[in-house]
Amino acid sequence: MNTLRHLVMMRSPRTILGKEEAAILSHVFKMLLACFMALWSSLFLELDQPRTAMVTVSIVMQAHSGMVLTKSYYRMLGTVAGILASLVLVALFAQDREAFLVSMALWIGLCTAGSMILRDHQSYAFVLAGYTLCIVGLPSTLHPEMTFDIAMSRVSEIMVGLACATLVSELVFPKRMATIILEMTRRRFIDFSFLLQKTASRSSGTKHTPELVRLMNDIYRLESLRSSSGLESDQSRTYRLKLGLLNTEFMAVSTTFHALNQFMARQYAGSFLLTANALTQ
């Protein structure tokens, strides 16, 4: 029996490593396929810079379909916002370089503030809106008559890359986030219950910093996955608010647990054993 258990433990890492390698190879294959599709489409449409479409594919391609859709959506929003800002500034200050540079600095500052306030893909959209103005607006100041062509070329290249990445992600070995989010939510209950059990079983004020930090990191990761699953399916949109409320409760409970753990540590350090033992009962 012990020999069988030993063989199982020896084979488990190889099995896990094989799954990880398969996931990595699948992601690499999907990215290469989407890049070649973007390159062929850009050459077929005679776009100016096919590499922009390929770079877009490499940026938005993620392991899960929901994350690809969400990042593509916000990349498109940021690109359109930056191009609109470029068109407006070039139309207003095509002959006044100083005013254009001041307006561009104000726009970039506004986008930077938005990227600092928001998180995840919303922050990425603000960053993209900021440097798209530099990519489209600065060359347009030298040739104002080419502003519309430069803007349309940029939008076309981005759209080709996003379309290729989305199609490959949805059709070739798609990975849904709903199952992963459900497994992570269940694991949070198990981890937190185990943390409470360890606290109740100890008779000293030992801190649980590594376990608590790991739990908080998993909670923030779950929040990031939840925010990226809204465009994946109707089921993800239905349970998105409930998962957000559940994750908020996880954060509140974890903060309360940390405060209680610190209080108990002070009780043990101050030799108030009666109070500490009463809390652990």
Side-chain angles (χ1 to χ4, degrees):
M1 190 67 181
N2 293 330
T3 304
L4 180 61
R5 186 181 297 110
H6 179 70
L7 291 175
V8 172
M9 293 178 64
M10 290 295 293
R11 292 184 61 183
S12 297
R14 296 181 182 179
T15 304
I16 296 175
L17 183 60
K19 292 181 179 179
E20 293 179 353
E21 289 179 347
I24 293 174
L25 290 176
S26 174
H27 180 68
V28 171
F29 171 75
K30 292 166 64 175
M31 180 177 292
L32 291 176
L33 178 60
C35 285
F36 286 130
M37 287 179 58
L39 177 60
W40 180 85
S41 301
S42 300
L43 294 176
F44 179 79
L45 296 174
E46 298 182 355
L47 299 179
D48 295 337
Q49 295 182 342
R51 66 175 180 270
T52 302
M54 299 179 66
V55 171
T56 299
V57 170
S58 63
I59 291 175
V60 303
M61 182 62 71
Q62 303 291 323
H64 303 93
S65 302
M67 299 184 72
V68 175
L69 289 171
T70 305
K71 195 165 187 178
S72 299
Y73 173 74
Y74 283 105
R75 182 174 178 83
M76 196 65 214
L77 285 182
T79 301
V80 171
I83 287 176
L84 291 177
S86 301
L87 294 175
V88 172
L89 293 183
V90 171
L92 293 176
F93 308 113
Q95 305 299 326
D96 192 349
R97 302 292 176 83
E98 290 78 8
F100 179 85
L101 291 177
V102 171
S103 302
M104 185 180 69
L106 293 175
W107 174 259
I108 294 175
L110 178 63
C111 293
T112 303
S115 66
M116 296 295 293
I117 295 173
L118 299 176
R119 297 183 302 172
D120 298 327
H121 300 300
Q122 293 87 354
S123 175
Y124 173 68
F126 273 95
V127 173
L128 194 65
Y131 72 74
T132 298
L133 175 61
C134 300
I135 295 175
V136 177
L138 288 179
S140 299
T141 57
L142 300 177
H143 303 282
E145 70 280 359
M146 299 294 295
T147 302
F148 184 79
D149 294 335
I150 295 174
M152 290 301 101
S153 178
R154 177 73 180 180
V155 170
S156 301
E157 293 157 3
I158 295 294
M159 288 184 64
V160 167
L162 297 181
C164 293
T166 303
L167 286 176
V168 172
S169 178
E170 287 291 326
L171 300 179
V172 181
F173 308 125
K175 291 184 178 180
R176 305 301 179 188
M177 300 178 62
T179 304
I180 297 176
I181 291 177
L182 181 60
E183 292 177 356
M184 290 184 65
T185 303
R186 291 173 176 173
R187 192 160 62 245
R188 295 295 74 72
F189 279 108
I190 297 174
D191 292 344
F192 190 73
S193 299
F194 180 70
L195 192 60
L196 291 178
Q197 184 180 3
K198 289 178 63 176
T199 303
S201 62
R202 291 183 180 182
S203 58
S204 62
T206 306
K207 297 181 179 180
H208 302 276
T209 303
E211 295 89 346
L212 186 60
V213 169
R214 184 165 56 251
L215 179 64
M216 294 300 296
N217 289 334
D218 291 340
I219 291 174
Y220 285 118
R221 181 169 178 265
L222 178 60
E223 178 65 20
S224 178
L225 292 176
R226 183 197 66 83
S227 63
S228 302
S229 64
L231 299 177
E232 186 178 74
S233 62
D234 294 335
Q235 183 181 7
S236 300
R237 286 189 291 271
T238 302
Y239 294 103
R240 185 179 179 183
L241 294 179
K242 293 182 180 180
L243 286 173
L245 180 61
L246 180 62
N247 217 32
T248 302
E249 295 295 333
F250 266 128
M251 295 180 185
V253 169
S254 301
T255 304
T256 304
F257 171 79
H258 178 68
L260 177 61
N261 195 25
Q262 294 292 322
F263 177 75
M264 291 181 63
R266 290 194 297 269
Q267 298 303 310
Y268 281 111
S271 300
F272 299 106
L273 300 181
L274 183 61
T275 303
N277 293 330
L279 292 173
T280 56
Q281 296 298 324

